[in-house]
Amino acid sequence: DLIPRLKEKLLQTNPEDYVIVYYSGHGVLDYQLNYYLAMPQMDFAHPELLGLPYQQLEDLLDGIPAQRKLLLVDACHSGEVDKDDALQP
């Protein structure tokens, strides 16, 4: 799996290192407004099956030694979604 391998590599950074993670591709919301990044073979009707949960990508940068971190996402629906407001009738 990509994320565990990448996390293992990022755990080898030093506090003074710069880490930039960049994703460019499709972004998809599921029926509960959870955000997924499209991966190869993803079913766009069911992104939870083979999509990469955005939270998992964000968590990738948590807990690594590098203190200078930047996550860039160039994808559809990449703005913040307030689930409480969006799901109210």
Side-chain angles (χ1 to χ4, degrees):
D1 193 34
L2 172 68
I3 297 299
R5 288 193 328 255
L6 191 51
K7 182 75 169 193
E8 182 179 321
K9 187 74 169 168
L10 292 175
L11 284 170
Q12 298 173 20
T13 61
N14 296 306
E16 64 277 358
D17 289 340
Y18 291 87
V19 172
I20 299 172
V21 176
Y22 177 74
Y23 173 88
S24 181
H26 293 288
V28 181
L29 294 170
D30 69 6
Y31 293 107
Q32 287 140 8
L33 300 179
N34 297 308
Y35 187 52
Y36 295 87
L37 302 173
M39 302 301 287
Q41 310 303 320
M42 188 182 86
D43 177 355
F44 280 75
H46 301 283
E48 67 279 1
L49 298 178
L50 295 174
L52 173 62
Y54 172 77
Q55 189 62 49
Q56 194 175 18
L57 186 62
E58 195 174 67
D59 292 347
L60 178 69
L61 298 178
D62 290 340
I64 65 171
Q67 296 295 306
R68 299 173 187 103
K69 303 172 263 194
L70 178 62
L71 173 60
L72 299 168
V73 177
D74 177 15
C76 304
H77 307 290
S78 61
E80 187 75 27
V81 173
D82 186 340
K83 288 184 191 182
D84 293 333
D85 287 344
L87 293 175
Q88 288 183 8

